Amino acid sequence: MFIQHMSALAGGTGEWIAKTRSACVAALLVCVGGCAAPGPPLPPTLNLPQMVRAGELTAVRVGGAVKVRWKTGKLTTDKLPVRGAIAAEVCREAAGGPGAAVGCEVVARVAAVPDEWTEAEDVLPKGLAEGPVRLLRYRVRLMNAAGRTAGLSPGVVAAAGTGAGAVKGFVGEATRAGVELRWERNAAGGVVELERTLLDPAVVAKDARRVGMPGEERQVVEVRLRAGDRDEGGVVDRAVEVGHSYRYTAQRVVAAAVGGQAVELRSEVAGPVTVAVRDGFAPDVPGGLVAVPGFGVGGRGVIDLAWDAVVGEREIAKVSGYVVYRRVGDGEWKKLGVVGVAAYRDADVEAGVRYGYRVAAVSTAGNESAAAGEVVEVGPRVP
């Protein structure tokens, strides 16, 4: 009896095993046709901010400090969005020093924001702010909230040593020749770099461009120029227009080359100086005025006038024409007319009468120069 029961149980178990095997095979076939096989498990992300790239890191010597700017990436080393706060450390080392963390002294710690520019300032100690020009290298380390980092960025160089002297006594005023900018001349070296900004909000100059240090708000600047190859204590900006206002800043720049590296030492920015260019300038006085008697149509007597044209194309007070004045004998001066060329014919003369003439130049803004010295001629007699 027991043996029969066991045989029946064995027979049932075999049948169950066979059915189970068939079901598993069928499920396997289905998965082969449409189920994705699970891959190897992914390691957890460390949320490490990507290192600052070399092209997005600058270091500029300004006065007694080095201003370091960089752009923080928005992704981690796993190419995922950065989560949580980011802290940045700026370190400084001698340019000939090691390229790793060893020997790179941390000089600033600031918070950084993904996908934005950040600035840190390294105020140089006396030993680095004075003496001969030499190189420093700056690197940036970005850390996540847990203080972990992907490492130091590539380095950029800046200059140590005695900095550029400040631009002192910086002033400006509008003159007939343009905006005259002046400062105290410094024979110690360097040149003065000027920046001119058009202030009129409704006007956009054709040559305007947006400039600014990385990470700073960029502003419309018409021109950035250097006042000659050496410090002469002033310059005239002739490329201005009547009716506009301009803002100027000045910065002394000393260029140096150390170990094949070109660096600049910049002073603090002087200014701003604001200059309004108004319609208050008259052209130069015309010269060379002559009067020649003659005869016009029908043999009537005339007096021809000629003078030297005023060349003022590089001045604010550009000439638009000339005003001719005349008096009879010792009488009062009266305006004969306005001409656009340096010549005039007076056909309203009488024979034997003495006439005096003067000529003044007038600007496009309507400002009139002083009149040229008087010339006298007598109306010709008909032969």
Side-chain angles (χ1 to χ4, degrees):
M1 189 67 144
F2 175 76
I3 294 174
Q4 291 177 350
H5 177 71
M6 293 298 294
S7 297
L9 181 61
T13 301
E15 183 179 355
W16 177 81
I17 291 173
K19 290 180 179 180
T20 301
R21 182 183 294 114
S22 298
C24 289
V25 170
L28 179 61
L29 290 175
V30 171
C31 284
V32 169
C35 294
L42 295 175
T45 178
L46 296 178
N47 193 38
L48 298 179
Q50 291 180 339
M51 288 191 301
V52 176
R53 293 180 290 188
E56 296 182 338
L57 173 64
T58 65
V60 181
R61 173 70 182 277
V62 180
V66 174
K67 297 182 183 296
V68 183
R69 294 182 177 90
W70 68 91
K71 187 174 184 181
T72 302
K74 58 184 178 180
L75 299 178
T76 67
T77 53
D78 301 316
K79 303 203 182 316
L80 298 173
V82 176
R83 302 191 310 271
I86 299 177
E89 287 185 343
V90 178
C91 70
R92 177 214 320 133
E93 62 185 4
V102 178
C104 197
E105 177 186 0
V106 175
V107 294
R109 291 183 176 88
V110 296
V113 179
D115 204 29
E116 290 188 11
W117 287 87
T118 304
E119 177 181 315
E121 184 177 78
D122 175 26
V123 179
L124 297 177
K126 184 176 181 180
L128 294 178
E130 298 179 353
V133 177
R134 50 208 186 275
L135 298 182
L136 299 173
R137 181 180 288 112
Y138 287 85
R139 303 176 188 272
V140 175
R141 178 192 291 114
L142 300 178
M143 297 175 291
N144 62 16
R148 296 180 178 177
T149 179
L152 285 168
S153 71
V156 291
V157 296
T162 301
V167 178
K168 298 180 180 180
F170 182 49
V171 295
E173 65 175 337
T175 68
R176 192 177 64 213
V179 173
E180 183 178 349
L181 301 162
R182 301 184 303 277
W183 55 87
E184 295 180 15
R185 185 175 177 274
N186 188 334
V191 297
V192 173
E193 185 176 275
L194 302 168
E195 195 169 271
R196 183 188 69 198
T197 304
L198 179 66
L199 295 183
D200 304 284
V203 179
V204 178
K206 294 181 180 179
D207 61 343
R209 58 193 179 93
R210 290 192 174 271
V211 303
M213 296 299 292
E216 290 183 335
E217 182 179 353
R218 295 166 72 80
Q219 60 182 345
V220 176
V221 172
E222 282 194 286
V223 66
R224 177 177 288 167
L225 55 93
R226 291 192 172 183
D229 296 329
R230 59 182 181 178
D231 186 359
E232 298 291 349
V235 69
V236 176
D237 181 9
R238 302 179 185 275
V240 294
E241 296 182 3
V242 170
H244 299 316
S245 296
Y246 301 89
R247 182 177 63 215
Y248 293 87
T249 59
Q251 193 175 35
R252 194 178 306 282
V253 182
V254 175
V258 182
Q261 292 270 10
V263 291
E264 288 184 338
L265 297 92
R266 292 177 168 268
S267 71
E268 296 287 351
V269 176
V273 169
T274 300
V275 180
V277 182
R278 298 294 178 245
D279 301 346
F281 300 102
D284 287 333
V285 177
L289 177 62
V290 295
V292 179
F295 298 94
V297 177
R300 182 175 176 81
V302 299
I303 296 177
D304 288 322
L305 305 174
W307 57 90
D308 297 331
V310 175
V311 180
E313 291 303 313
R314 297 191 63 186
E315 296 187 350
I316 290 176
K318 294 181 174 60
V319 175
S320 64
Y322 302 91
V323 183
V324 180
Y325 293 93
R326 185 187 78 170
R327 70 176 177 176
V328 179
D330 296 325
E332 296 182 356
W333 289 99
K334 295 183 179 180
K335 182 187 294 187
L336 283 183
V338 180
V339 293
V341 295
Y344 184 84
R345 167 167 284 188
D346 183 7
D348 185 19
V349 297
E350 296 183 9
V353 177
R354 181 169 60 89
Y355 298 95
Y357 296 94
R358 286 181 175 178
V359 177
V362 62
S363 72
T364 54
N367 299 309
E368 189 174 315
S369 74
E374 180 182 5
V375 295
V376 177
E377 189 55 70
V378 176
R381 297 183 182 277
V382 179

